[in-house]
Amino acid sequence: MPIRRLSVRGVRNLAPLDIHPHSRVNFIYGDNGSGKSSLLESIALLSSGKSFRSTQIKQLIHHDADRLELECELDGTTGADAQTQDLYSLRLRNGDVLFRLDGSVLTSQAQVATRLPVQVIEPNTFRLLVGSPEDRRQFLDWGVFHVEPGFIEEWRIFRKVLKQRNSVLKQKEVSWLDVWDGGFIEASEKIHQYRLAYLKVFVPQFESTLAALDAEIKVRLHYYPGWEKDSQLKDILTRQQDRDLQLGYTQSGPHRAELRIRVDKLPAADVLSRGQQKTVVAALKLTQGILYKQSCGNAPIYLVDDLASELDSRHRLALCQVLEDLKCQVFITSIEKQQLMDSWTPSEFKVFHVEHGKIEEESLP
Ligand SMILES: Nc1ncnc2c1ncn2[C@@H]1O[C@H](COP(=O)(O)OP(=O)(O)OP(=O)(O)O)[C@@H](O)[C@H]1O
Ligand SMILES: [Mg+2]
């Protein structure tokens, strides 16, 4: 659901702002250090409680403020059922974050994430390829979580069983392992099946999205479930039991799953140029949005920070075309206004100029 009003207080260098973004395309331009990324970061923070730039969320709070406050009104469903929902977040210096929806406190991150799904494409986006398996596992699970409604509950069950099994391993209570292993295998299998079902639709869609961005890049996705593919998890647990006991944790299972991205047999990160890596990651993130839209009717909001970084004009055009086809709300930044306009001529858009932390909507001719 698009954001129809956004209010930001106490974020980095941004002056307090209230804007009414367009439900489709929002061009944001301004000089280096003006506050463009900070604006996108604010939206990402509302969506996930996390920043895509700083691991320490406190760093987002304006130096002179003791807290930051973000508020947005979301466009409800269209037609007669149109509703407005408020999503309100407040983060204090001590790191507490509080999300509210229409005045009621949201107690879980999952409740927040389903209200405001956001995908970020920014200069460090290529890290999804070069970063840890955990990053790619989380990426995969974002899609499974949003498309397969039963996944979150099974994931909670799995986490609980894994915790119990690890605690048994730490205390070296070998006789209890047999008791926990049945539940562990059952929960693992369910997670694995959810991921498989998602990937079955994800892989072909990814291939066509990547071809739309750059037909010459040939990468393949390989899913590793967290244990050797041709073995039964039960046999692996038996085989690894001594080592698991020694380590005090479970070596194999869905918590070790990975999405491997390869060019021929090599990791894509070792072969592709930086621009190609960004294109591949953009294709992954766009694919998630396309599947999300297919499953629930709305696309996520896309935050595209610094469009020009690493991408030549052909790739910028192709990326913007996929976003145009997705008909989603987009916040897209660049230093030069003309560069944005040259990459994309959407039928509906607004332009915002950011200068020294102040954001102004430009009136269009
Ligand atoms: N906690 C903070 N309090 C106040 N100012 C901050 C804080 N953190 C960062 N800044 C400043 O905020 C400014 C805006 O940074 P931001 O990254 O949003 O700019 P930008 O417009 O995206 O620039 P670029 O074009 O270089 O990417 C920077 O000058 C930065 O030094
Ligand atoms: Mg920036």
Side-chain angles (χ1 to χ4, degrees):
M1 283 189 287
I3 294 173
R4 71 165 158 222
R5 183 183 66 80
L6 174 71
S7 135
V8 176
R9 302 275 179 281
V11 174
R12 298 206 192 264
N13 73 328
L14 294 176
L17 65 89
D18 284 282
I19 55 170
H20 290 82
H22 198 287
S23 61
R24 293 293 319 286
V25 184
N26 296 280
F27 291 135
I28 296 145
Y29 76 99
D31 292 343
N32 289 139
S34 56
K36 306 177 297 294
S37 299
S38 305
L39 178 68
L40 267 51
E41 230 180 343
S42 305
I43 301 170
L45 185 63
L46 261 176
S47 163
S48 66
K50 290 186 199 142
S51 156
F52 55 84
R53 290 202 294 182
S54 304
T55 42
Q56 280 223 331
I57 209 86
K58 281 192 294 194
Q59 288 170 0
L60 267 79
I61 302 174
H62 191 293
H63 295 317
D64 301 334
D66 66 346
R67 63 182 173 188
L68 67 79
E69 290 179 353
L70 306 169
E71 193 180 75
C72 74
E73 249 174 58
L74 300 175
D75 253 351
T77 45
T78 49
D81 310 329
Q83 302 164 347
T84 298
Q85 293 177 315
D86 277 329
L87 192 71
Y88 169 72
S89 145
L90 174 138
R91 186 172 274 275
L92 300 171
R93 273 271 182 212
N94 66 14
D96 290 341
V97 70
L98 185 70
F99 283 98
R100 283 207 185 95
L101 177 69
D102 294 335
S104 312
V105 174
L106 296 177
T107 47
S108 80
Q109 194 52 51
Q111 286 175 309
V112 175
T114 48
R115 305 278 160 197
L116 192 64
V118 159
Q119 287 282 352
V120 184
I121 298 172
E122 50 97 33
N124 286 319
T125 262
F126 71 92
R127 283 201 192 137
L128 187 62
L129 291 192
V130 299
S132 69
E134 192 184 357
D135 294 340
R136 288 182 292 282
R137 187 164 58 244
Q138 277 176 5
F139 168 81
L140 170 64
D141 285 348
W142 186 99
V144 188
F145 165 74
H146 282 287
V147 171
E148 304 278 351
F151 176 74
I152 187 75
E153 188 50 32
E154 293 303 336
W155 180 248
R156 279 199 194 108
I157 294 171
F158 169 75
R159 295 293 310 174
K160 212 168 137 193
V161 186
L162 175 67
K163 211 171 145 197
Q164 282 157 338
R165 188 176 194 272
N166 285 345
S167 127
V168 166
L169 288 168
K170 270 196 197 80
Q171 285 155 31
K172 315 242 181 280
E173 295 168 318
V174 185
S175 58
W176 278 97
L177 275 179
D178 287 346
V179 179
W180 289 115
D181 278 2
F184 180 80
I185 291 163
E186 194 184 327
S188 299
E189 195 53 41
K190 283 186 180 153
I191 299 295
H192 173 52
Q193 291 304 329
Y194 272 120
R195 285 174 175 159
L196 271 185
Y198 182 66
L199 283 167
K200 210 172 154 190
V201 284
F202 186 91
V203 172
Q205 180 61 58
F206 166 73
E207 285 169 359
S208 78
T209 308
L210 181 60
L213 296 186
D214 186 330
E216 281 159 32
I217 305 176
K218 301 282 176 224
V219 302
R220 289 190 74 91
L221 305 181
H222 299 264
Y223 165 59
Y224 168 70
W227 63 91
E228 289 163 39
K229 254 187 190 148
D230 301 325
S231 307
Q232 295 290 324
L233 182 57
K234 187 173 185 305
D235 299 335
I236 291 176
L237 292 180
T238 311
R239 209 183 324 138
Q240 292 181 340
Q241 186 167 308
D242 289 348
R243 185 80 180 126
D244 278 3
L245 281 161
Q246 236 174 26
L247 294 169
Y249 62 83
T250 308
Q251 296 172 81
S252 295
H255 57 299
R256 289 297 180 88
E258 208 205 317
L259 191 60
R260 292 175 177 160
I261 303 161
R262 299 222 169 103
V263 176
D264 295 323
K265 292 204 161 95
L266 296 167
D270 294 349
V271 180
L272 299 180
S273 74
R274 189 60 75 80
Q276 288 172 325
Q277 290 178 25
K278 183 166 173 177
T279 297
V280 169
V281 177
L284 288 165
K285 296 192 168 194
L286 290 164
T287 302
Q288 281 200 321
I290 292 166
L291 296 186
Y292 180 85
K293 189 172 180 184
Q294 280 170 9
S295 87
C296 74
N298 294 303
I301 295 170
Y302 275 84
L303 308 177
V304 184
D305 196 19
D306 205 353
L307 173 70
S309 112
E310 315 282 4
L311 296 183
D312 58 29
S313 66
R314 181 168 67 94
H315 289 92
R316 291 200 292 268
L317 278 167
L319 173 64
C320 292
Q321 186 59 52
V322 177
L323 288 166
E324 171 76 25
D325 294 344
L326 193 51
K327 307 227 173 306
C328 54
Q329 189 174 38
V330 182
F331 293 82
I332 184 165
T333 77
S334 179
I335 292 159
E336 300 284 341
K337 178 171 153 186
Q338 200 50 48
Q339 199 171 48
L340 282 172
M341 306 307 234
D342 290 346
S343 308
W344 199 349
T345 37
S347 47
E348 298 173 279
F349 63 97
K350 282 187 177 181
V351 178
F352 296 90
H353 181 221
V354 193
E355 200 173 14
H356 302 304
K358 292 205 175 84
I359 181 161
E360 292 223 355
E361 185 181 334
E362 284 191 353
S363 46
L364 297 171

